[in-house]
Amino acid sequence: MPRVSHDADSHDLIRVHGARANNLRDVSVEIPKRRLTVFTGVSGSGKSSLVFATIAAESQRLINETYSAFLQGFMPTVARPDVDVLEGLTTAIIVDQERMGANPRSTVGTVTDVHAMLRILFSRLGDPHVGPPQAFSFNVASISGAGAVTTTKGGREVKERRSFNVVGGMCPRCEGRGAVNDIDLTALYDASKSLNEGALTIPGYTMEGWYGRIFRGCGYFDPDKPIEKFTKKQLDDLLYREPTKIKVDGINLTYAGLVPEIKKRFLAKDVEAMQPHIRAFVERAVTFETCTDCDGTRLSAEARSSKINGVSIADLSAMQISDLAGWVRDLDKPSVAPLLTALGETLDSFVEIGLGYLSLDRPSGTLSGGEAQRTKMIRHLGSSLTDVTYVFDEPSIGLHPHDIERMNALLLQLRDKGNTVLVVEHKPEMIAIADHVIDLGPGAGGAGGQVVFEGDVERLRSSDTTTGRHLDDRASLKSDVRSATGVLEIRGAETHNLRSVDVDLPLGVLCVLTGVAGSGKSSLVTGSVSGRDGVVTVDQGAIKGSRRSNPSTYTGLLDPIRKAFAKANDVKPALFSANSEGACPHCNGAGVVFSDLAMMAGVAAPCEVCEGRRFDASVLGYTLGGRDISEVLALSVAEAAEFFGSGDAAVPAASKILSRLEDVGLGYLTLGQPLTTLSGGERQRLKLATHLGGKGDVFVLDEPTTGLHLADVEQLLGLLDRLVDSGKSVIVIEHHQAVMAHADWIVDLGPGAGHDGGQVVFEGTPADLVADRTTLTGQHLASYVAPTGS
């Protein structure tokens, strides 16, 4: 029977017309539905602006509008993207690289709901029975209480005695963190000084502000008396007094001792998420040790006492997930069969996606960007939903070439179920599986924002775009490799899954650590290399900063610029800061004025007074080399390098920083561009540029090719060569075959992931690795390099 044409069948495209988010220049594209579309282009060309800031953002905004106004008031408001027409959208599910929350109580088990299912399992089958599911949760404390309660019944007040009892699984000593801290009091103050003389050495504690008013007015001690002369009671009040209401100069305030305040302000947060100066203080003042009461499991003795087939929930959480999946499969309990099925499917998804080496008790804040992204994928793999738009941001990040094949299969599986899959990607292996390719460019920043190619992969290869020209690039092995000038000895490394690893990392050369995801590369670096004297580590941690932060503030470039302006005009440097005295009084230096419309998306309009320039009009009257401060911040890095390089505006300190930014390929960024608008690759390279000015002799880089286009990898290799030739040692954790081929020495870890890895399976030159071909890395590198290098 012939199929009858239906109007609904005509809606097979997502149409975008006139997209202008960030650097997009009236972009118009038609994206086929139920196909896999890959968006390519150099870093900063506008891929994320089109996919995330336009298509996915509008889809989520429209979904939010289906909720009641009451619910929308509790949801984050999203403004409509700057686009003329968006048609054919479906529900968008974003699977991005954003790190997971660094809450100290958040683990792989809690963020994926696997721990919740295990808690139900133990509340039903655990022997002895200790309580409901919350009795196995390290986020719930056991509490009980009793007392009189007054209620009104029938117009009369009735007093009743009530009691309650909550059974939780939290270890009472460490409060569910698995570790306890001890504070070094000598790092908090200089005992020879008085408070008024600046005895406190805690970040933010000065006698000029509120703390000074509280310490002087509390009456517990004399602020002019050296701390070493305090009585026992006075010292106890300074250090340990619990929060107490006091009145100072007629104002109600709260006084708390230094130790409770530090625990509340600093230790409730993850150390990795702190600002550098606060993190340095915490690492200096606080020691973290495994809790002896719970042995680091975070759970109470009662929760650990309940077992299924002789195994506790703590034991299962510490297992490698691939092993845990086997344990669940062997558990034959018909009374909880649906729960075991759901739990088994979720655990199998972990293994399928290449994360079987993790354990449920792994803190979520320690996952890399690639691991976090794949963890977010898990809840979607078994979904029965179809006609959904899945949006991925470089899913190849952190994946060995061997693992990329598995990721490709998963993306195709999502597509074949009838979903639209949109992928922002640079790796040729992932571009190759695309049904449709949209290439943006031709350049980055202001030189990008246009569609330069649309079509299939074969046509992309023959196109004259940057991506097309570099798609089949293959690095060849170096004919000569450098000789080591020394070695960095590692002996008995046992961090995470490492098995007493002994290895010598050569110095004075480009050394690459490689191996499948989870083989132990990062464990070797974080546990045995980072933290040594002279070692500078550039990891993949997120850049901290608000929309007021920009490349000039983050790199410290603005300091010499402000001083140069101040010197040229004989005024204070603070005038040339939009976050200080020079700020426009109307918008407070933001450049825009926000209108809050409750549950509706707020409106941000350029400030009418400063016209978006962020500075007070009087400040813009001061110039350096013929430009005011707002004009300087509007310059690109390349333009600024020329401006500050010579002539009346020459500022050597600024030139050094700008040259480093150009070295890492960020010459197109403007000095005042908000950090919030930078792509993942741009943030990584900005961090690298900042660290290049460090005084270390050994640079450790964690996947520096993250977010880099094929054309930019060559520039990065040139930068690494210049570092080594200047006398530095460079150690790189990397999966990109071009970096491996360019190395002087390779250390390959494996052979597998988790407890199947943790060993050095190869040490030697890239040519030796290719000739050896006994490891997964060797096999993939051999098939990658040009014939001349094999």
Side-chain angles (χ1 to χ4, degrees), residues 466-525:
T466 305
T467 304
R469 289 194 300 271
H470 289 273
L471 193 60
D472 291 319
D473 278 1
R474 292 294 180 268
S476 55
L477 300 174
K478 292 195 295 191
S479 55
D480 295 310
V481 293
R482 302 177 183 92
S483 298
T485 58
V487 294
L488 193 153
E489 287 188 2
I490 296 174
R491 295 290 180 267
E494 294 189 328
T495 306
H496 297 138
N497 67 326
L498 296 178
R499 299 195 227 168
S500 294
V501 169
D502 294 337
V503 65
D504 291 334
L505 301 182
L507 298 176
V509 301
L510 175 58
C511 175
V512 171
L513 298 180
T514 188
V516 297
S519 59
K521 304 179 299 296
S522 296
S523 298
L524 186 67
V525 166

Side-chain angles (χ1 to χ4, degrees), residues 191 199 209-210 353 369 385 390 493 574 647 680:
W210 278 105
I353 210 164
L385 290 173
Y390 287 97

